[in-house]
Amino acid sequence: MSITQNEINELVEAYASSSTAIISDNLAREPGAVGIRPFHRCTSAVAGRALTVRTRAGDNATVHKALDLIQPGDFIIVDGGGDESRAVIGEIMAAIAKSRGAVGFVIDGAIRDVDVIATDTFPVFAKTAIHRGPYKNGPGEINVSVSVGGMVVNPGDIVVGDGDGIVAFPVEGAKELLVAVRAQEKKEAEMLASIANGTYTNAYAK
């Protein structure tokens, strides 16, 4: 049975109230971007649909093109090859994405203007920061399979980010995954309550 757009929107909203750690646990701890961390003022989890970009290392011409394609709720996922030599986005591009309804950025590469980005809650996840600006020559591709921090992300995947990093997974199976996530959240809440009231019996080790 196909999933409707309204159901997808509801799923994305539901995952925004979870955590990457619990989602990861229920994906056999396999998916997950290594070395990608938040640079924004991270106060809670965020979730959206992947708008994917693959660009030449240190070049953001294709990222600019992707900004013109943003739909509200898009999470812009940029495969910059992990290059640390030049910033792919900064304050201005983050502001453009935010104004157009994007959920945030994930950059497998570098960003700049981190002092400004750090004061805002608009999500910007990246590998590192550097002041050196990008090339604007291309080439690049939009809405193709990409890799960020070693994690494969496909166009339209659900992407969740928080203080621990980023995880992504297909819409197909997301309903079932959410059931497992909610069950673990309940179990962990019960563990924390038992710790608080002195009845904990090593359940977390099992």
Side-chain angles (χ1 to χ4, degrees), residues 35-162:
I36 305 293
R37 64 181 182 87
F39 280 83
H40 58 288
R41 183 161 59 88
C42 188
T43 59
S44 63
V46 60
R49 300 289 303 283
L51 170 59
T52 59
V53 181
R54 182 186 297 133
T55 185
R56 184 170 70 95
D59 191 292
N60 74 356
T62 309
V63 183
H64 278 284
K65 292 178 181 178
L67 292 178
D68 291 331
L69 302 177
I70 290 172
Q71 297 295 314
D74 282 345
F75 215 144
I76 308 166
I77 314 299
V78 181
D79 179 352
D83 179 72
E84 300 184 16
S85 67
R86 295 183 180 277
V88 175
I89 71 151
E91 175 187 5
I92 292 174
M93 293 181 74
I96 294 168
K98 180 179 181 180
S99 73
R100 295 179 179 175
V103 167
F105 270 109
V106 176
I107 310 291
D108 191 4
I111 63 168
R112 65 180 182 180
D113 303 324
V114 293
D115 291 342
V116 175
I117 287 170
T119 67
D120 198 346
T121 57
F122 180 71
V124 178
F125 296 84
K127 185 176 181 182
T128 191
I130 190 170
H131 56 83
R132 296 174 65 189
Y135 299 108
K136 298 180 183 293
N137 303 318
E141 298 174 280
I142 297 172
N143 279 328
V144 295
S145 296
V146 298
S147 175
V148 290
M151 176 180 68
V152 174
V153 183
N154 293 302
D157 279 357
I158 296 175
V159 182
V160 183
D162 60 16

